[in-house]
Amino acid sequence: MGPRPSALCKQAAAVLAAALLVVGSAGCTGEPRPPDPAPTEPDRSAAFALLEAFSDRMIGEGAPAVLIDVRYGGKAWTHAAGVRNLETREPATASDPVRVGGITESLVAVSVLKLVAEGKLGLDDPVSRYLPEFGSVLHPPGPVTARQLLTHESGLPDFTDPLLASGPWEQVTARRVSLEQQLALAATVPWEPRLARIFNYSRTNYAALALIIERLRGQDIAQVLATDTARPLDLGATRLGGPGLPGMVHGYVTVAGARLDASTPEWQAEAPSSGAVSTLPEVNRFYAALLKGELLPPDSVTAMKGGYLEYYGFALRRWNNTCNNRFYYGLPGDTDGYGTIAMTSEDGRTQLAMAVAYPPEPPTLGVNPLISELTDVSQDALNHLC
């Protein structure tokens, strides 16, 4: 006959008490609890592999050089392939100067917004208030404001169409074209009236803005950009106009079967739409400072970003940032011989700038389709960094 239930209960209680004693003793005298494992670093190799593969393809298709500068989590990743110059074959580096094309417009927009913050310029004032000759030269179909110039919603014709159609590329691009001449060239193209404001890119918009800046500052646009942005941020290679910089990456075009150097086109010496030279580290430093509020008051930075549903603010485009469901801001830059893209997260901490000296091809009045590829691969790579 087995033990009675009461005896079984007593035995179970004794076993449990002994077990608790052992556990308690181990807790006092045993090894300490191991620490939680440290968080692992995200694998960002896919982002860099995307960029390297794109670079390899561009070089394989005849691009003289590809430069990339990435900033993330307080770190930097850079890449350079190809050469600075097809004649000397000197290897390119990631910090070599390049022509940055339309990124120039972001620099100009900062100078415009500084005037607005100082109360010297009203965004919704008619342009003719600051440029009395605007109406008599261009004959706009209706009032045009500085805001419409900034957002490319004025409908102003692009002066480069008649300029580049006026003669052989090598002759046309060797001529210096002043801001006043840029407006005069635009005046030779009919200004089509529009029922609604829509985005219609025209380099003449920024020629008019640069003239306004010059009138209000009493300095030429290159000096103003240096004062407002380059010197405060110590951007020693960033400038509008002037001779080519040492170590500059040369871009090329092919005209009538001949390869021509496009690195120092005189017509862009005073082109506030596309004439700046910079390095990718300096381009990233500029956009980080801008988005962190180091160049403009917060409301001006917000205005530059544009509304939530707007494609293009004040010289800032935006792309989806899937890391935090927000946006990257920056601009693409497309010009003869060069394509550049810059994207920066809203907090200024995650950035990518890439420049390609295009495979030498005939110049076009339109946009080189490679700029879309630069943009897509850059956005994809940034979204692999999180």
Side-chain angles (χ1 to χ4, degrees):
M1 186 173 179
R4 294 191 300 268
S6 59
L8 288 172
C9 290
K10 289 179 181 179
Q11 290 175 7
V15 170
L16 178 60
L20 290 173
L21 180 61
V22 170
V23 171
S25 300
C28 294
T29 61
E31 293 297 322
R33 178 175 173 270
D36 293 333
T40 58
E41 178 79 5
D43 182 6
R44 297 184 169 99
S45 59
F48 305 137
L50 277 171
L51 296 169
E52 289 176 333
F54 179 74
S55 173
D56 290 345
R57 183 165 69 82
M58 289 294 98
I59 296 296
E61 293 179 3
V66 178
L67 314 180
I68 308 173
D69 186 274
V70 179
R71 308 285 160 153
Y72 65 101
K75 300 178 182 179
W77 181 88
T78 61
H79 170 88
V83 296
R84 291 172 171 170
N85 187 311
L86 289 177
E87 281 67 47
T88 66
R89 310 300 299 183
E90 186 178 11
T93 73
S95 58
D96 286 343
V98 294
R99 304 204 70 85
V100 296
I103 288 172
T104 312
E105 292 187 359
S106 290
L107 300 168
V108 174
V110 166
S111 292
V112 170
L113 270 292
K114 281 183 175 288
L115 288 166
V116 173
E118 295 169 15
K120 296 177 181 178
L121 172 65
L123 287 178
D124 296 308
D125 291 342
V127 173
S128 56
R129 175 174 296 183
Y130 307 99
L131 299 178
E133 73 274 30
F134 187 79
S136 60
V137 171
L138 289 158
H139 306 291
V144 176
T145 66
R147 184 187 301 275
Q148 291 172 314
L149 298 178
L150 280 166
T151 57
H152 290 286
E153 294 177 324
S154 70
L156 227 175
D158 195 321
F159 77 90
T160 60
D161 293 343
L163 172 68
L164 297 176
S166 65
W169 183 89
E170 60 270 32
Q171 294 179 15
V172 170
T173 58
R175 298 200 312 255
R176 186 173 287 254
V177 183
S178 69
L179 296 175
E180 291 83 359
Q181 289 172 324
Q182 291 170 39
L183 295 189
L185 281 164
T188 66
V189 180
W191 189 331
E192 300 294 337
R194 299 177 183 275
L195 295 177
R197 293 190 307 168
I198 59 173
F199 179 88
N200 184 42
Y201 184 80
S202 170
R203 293 172 181 84
T204 316
N205 287 311
Y206 277 72
L209 287 168
L211 267 178
I212 292 172
I213 292 169
E214 289 190 346
R215 300 280 173 87
L216 294 176
R217 290 295 188 202
Q219 294 180 309
D220 69 47
I221 186 62
Q223 291 174 310
V224 176
L225 298 185
T227 299
D228 287 347
T229 301
R231 283 200 288 271
L233 297 180
D234 193 24
L235 308 181
T238 302
R239 64 190 64 182
L240 179 65
L245 295 170
M248 184 169 176
V249 168
H250 289 234
Y252 300 86
V253 297
T254 299
V255 177
R259 189 181 71 205
L260 303 177
D261 195 316
S263 60
T264 55
E266 275 297 307
W267 79 268
Q268 291 200 41
E270 290 186 58
S273 56
S274 56
V277 172
S278 188
T279 67
L280 298 186
E282 291 191 5
V283 166
N284 273 338
R285 197 181 316 159
F286 162 68
Y287 279 114
L290 171 61
L291 290 165
K292 289 177 180 179
E294 296 173 12
L295 291 171
L296 293 169
D299 59 338
S300 297
V301 177
T302 299
M304 284 193 69
K305 292 177 180 177
Y308 193 79
L309 298 177
E310 289 180 316
Y311 164 80
Y312 190 95
F314 297 162
L316 283 181
R317 270 190 57 185
R318 70 182 186 190
W319 298 270
N320 290 326
N321 179 348
T322 60
C323 292
N324 58 14
N325 201 30
R326 298 295 297 173
F327 299 106
Y328 304 112
Y329 291 92
L331 274 184
D334 176 69
T335 190
D336 287 340
Y338 301 86
T340 309
I341 183 70
M343 296 182 184
T344 296
S345 62
E346 279 186 292
D347 59 9
R349 295 178 181 176
T350 305
Q351 301 184 274
L352 188 153
M354 175 162 51
V356 175
Y358 288 142
E361 295 178 353
T364 174
L365 291 177
V367 174
N368 191 311
L370 281 177
I371 195 66
S372 296
E373 293 191 50
L374 266 74
T375 301
D376 291 344
V377 73
S378 296
Q379 183 182 11
D380 198 8
L382 278 175
N383 285 329
H384 275 80
L385 286 177
C386 53

